[in-house]
Amino acid sequence: MASDPGDPGRGWTTASDLAEYAYCPRAHWYRHHARNVPLDRTDAMAIGRGRSYHARRAAELSAHARWGYGPVLLVVLVGILLVIASVAGWIP
């Protein structure tokens, strides 16, 4: 997504824009579209949904960090061993 072309000097997407979007697409949208919007009950509920989204995402990343690439490496290793066993004639 390109930056707001009406904003002087912001006709291109910057590395900061990409990093912010990668961190949170909604935060990127708010930075470029929701300037000086008064906070009301609906916005407060949206903030709560944003917090719960980030909490879920952090839990997903934590689970990935806990397991890492172990299961993937195990499947690859078993596949390699099966190919070697087949070539060597151990598996008919």
Side-chain angles (χ1 to χ4, degrees):
M1 173 189 308
S3 298
D4 184 9
D7 196 5
R10 297 283 310 204
W12 295 94
T13 299
T14 65
S16 297
D17 288 336
L18 295 176
E20 183 177 40
Y21 184 83
Y23 171 71
C24 179
R26 187 170 297 221
H28 180 265
W29 185 89
Y30 277 127
R31 176 182 299 277
H32 293 287
H33 294 95
R35 295 185 178 131
N36 301 321
V37 177
L39 182 65
D40 64 0
R41 181 174 168 77
T42 315
D43 293 333
M45 289 179 3
I47 290 170
R49 285 193 306 268
R51 286 184 181 149
S52 64
Y53 165 79
H54 284 286
R56 282 193 315 272
R57 184 70 178 133
E60 291 169 6
L61 292 175
S62 175
H64 175 71
R66 190 172 35 252
W67 289 98
Y69 293 104
V72 173
L73 292 176
L74 180 64
V75 169
V76 169
L77 181 64
V78 168
I80 290 171
L81 290 175
L82 286 174
V83 168
I84 291 172
S86 176
V87 169
W90 299 331
I91 298 177

